[in-house]
C-alpha cells in the first residue's frame, strides 16, 4: 500500500480531515488533489480560506480498494472498523495533538465518527462540536458534493462558519435547568407567566 502523507503548516489554525486518499492522491502523494480536491479548493476560496494555510489530512493514509472507504470496515453499515481504520484514528489524534488547530473541518461520516463517535453527516453537518480544545464542524465531503450538487451551497455555508469560528468562536448558551422543582416553585413560575401575559398590550406578541 502507498501511503499519502498530510500536507500543510504545522501551526495551521484550520485542520481539514477527509476519509482516505483516492487514485490521484496516491499517484501524486498529496491529499485532495483529484476532482474532489479541486472542488474543495474552490469552496475554500469562496469563503476566504487559503488552502495553503490549512493542514489537510485523512483518517486513513492509504487508498481503499475501489476508492471505497467501506472496504476498510467489516460491515456495510461501517460500524465495525478494521484495524487499518483503528490505527488511522490513533495517528489522526496524534496529528491533532501536534497541530493544535482552532477549528477542525470533518469532511464526511468517517472523520466525524473518528473524532466524535457520531454518525449521520446529514444530521450533524454544520454543527459546532468539540474535540479537545478545538471546535469541530462536520460537513459534506467534496466527492459527495460532486454527486449531489445541491449540497454545495450547504457545504460552502459550513466552511464559512469554520472560517468565522477561527476569530469568533461560538459561546455556548448559559443554560440553567431546574430538575424536579417543588410545586411551590412551579406555581410561582406560572403566576409570573400569567402576570407577564396580563401586562402585555393587546395585539402584541
Amino acid at each position: 500500500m502507498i501511503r499519502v502523507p498530510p500536507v500543510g503548516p504545522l501551526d495551521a489554525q484550520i485542520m481539514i480531515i477527509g476519509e482516505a486518499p483516492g487514485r490521484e492522491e496516491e499517484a501524486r502523494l498529496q491529499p485532495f488533489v483529484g476532482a474532489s480536491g479541486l472542488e474543495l479548493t474552490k469552496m475554500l476560496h469562496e469563503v476566504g480560506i487559503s488552502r495553503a494555510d490549512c493542514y489537510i489530512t485523512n483518517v486513513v493514509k492509504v487508498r481503499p480498494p475501489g476508492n471505497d472507504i467501506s472496504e476498510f470496515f467489516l460491515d456495510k453499515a461501517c460500524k465495525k472498523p478494521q484495524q487499518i481504520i483503528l490505527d488511522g484514528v490513533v495517528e489522526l489524534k496524534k496529528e491533532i495533538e501536534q497541530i493544535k488547530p482552532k477549528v477542525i473541518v470533518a469532511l464526511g461520516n468517517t472523520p466525524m465518527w473518528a473524532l466524535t463517535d457520531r454518525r449521520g453527516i446529514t444530521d450533524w453537518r454544520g454543527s459546532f462540536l468539540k474535540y479537545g480544545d478545538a471546535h469541530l464542524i462536520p460537513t459534506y465531503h467534496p466527492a459527495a458534493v460532486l454527486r449531489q450538487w445541491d449540497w454545495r451551497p450547504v457545504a460552502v455555508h459550513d466552511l464559512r462558519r469554520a472560517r468565522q469560528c477561527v476569530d469568533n468562536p461560538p459561546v455556548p448558551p448559559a443554560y440553567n435547568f431546574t430538575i424536579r422543582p417543588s410545586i411551590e416553585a412551579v406555581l410561582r413560575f406560572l403566576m409570573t407567566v400569567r402576570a407577564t401575559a396580563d401586562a402585555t398590550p393587546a395585539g402584541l406578541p
Side-chain angles (χ1 to χ4, degrees):
M1 289 184 174
I2 299 174
R3 177 182 170 83
V4 177
V7 66
L10 299 182
D11 60 348
Q13 293 184 318
I14 298 177
M15 175 182 279
I16 298 174
I17 305 173
E19 297 178 337
R23 186 182 305 276
E24 187 70 20
E25 287 77 15
E26 185 181 61
R28 296 171 58 181
L29 296 180
Q30 291 185 41
F32 285 98
V33 292
S36 61
L38 293 175
E39 189 57 43
L40 173 64
T41 302
K42 292 178 183 177
M43 292 192 294
L44 290 172
H45 178 74
E46 284 185 30
V47 303
I49 298 176
S50 171
R51 175 178 171 137
D53 293 336
C54 301
Y55 184 92
I56 304 175
T57 189
N58 284 295
V59 176
V60 181
K61 306 299 190 290
V62 298
R63 181 167 68 96
N67 292 348
D68 186 355
I69 193 66
S70 68
E71 293 292 329
F72 285 157
F73 288 83
L74 297 173
D75 62 324
K76 293 183 178 180
C78 296
K79 293 184 177 181
K80 298 178 181 179
Q82 296 185 30
Q83 191 62 44
I84 191 170
I85 290 278
L86 299 176
D87 292 343
V89 172
V90 171
E91 182 179 0
L92 175 63
K93 291 180 177 180
K94 290 180 179 178
E95 288 179 81
I96 296 173
E97 290 177 8
Q98 179 187 17
I99 304 303
K100 295 180 175 57
K102 287 186 177 180
V103 177
I104 297 171
V105 178
L107 299 176
N109 272 308
T110 303
M112 181 179 71
W113 160 80
L115 298 179
T116 69
D117 205 33
R118 293 177 170 91
R119 290 180 171 86
I121 192 65
T122 301
D123 295 330
W124 287 101
R125 56 125 299 267
S127 301
F128 285 114
L129 306 177
K130 290 285 287 183
Y131 179 81
D133 294 330
H135 292 281
L136 189 151
I137 301 177
T139 191
Y140 297 120
H141 193 287
V145 168
L146 291 174
R147 294 192 299 268
Q148 188 79 26
W149 194 245
D150 57 349
W151 286 357
R152 191 181 191 278
V154 177
V156 169
H157 172 73
D158 294 341
L159 292 175
R160 184 172 290 110
R161 298 187 81 193
R163 178 184 60 79
Q164 295 168 346
C165 187
V166 172
D167 297 321
N168 299 293
V171 178
Y175 293 115
N176 184 14
F177 295 105
T178 301
I179 307 299
R180 299 181 66 182
S182 65
I183 186 64
E184 292 82 6
V186 172
L187 291 174
R188 284 196 301 271
F189 174 76
L190 292 176
M191 291 176 65
T192 301
V193 172
R194 181 172 182 178
T196 302
D198 291 342
T200 301
L204 293 180

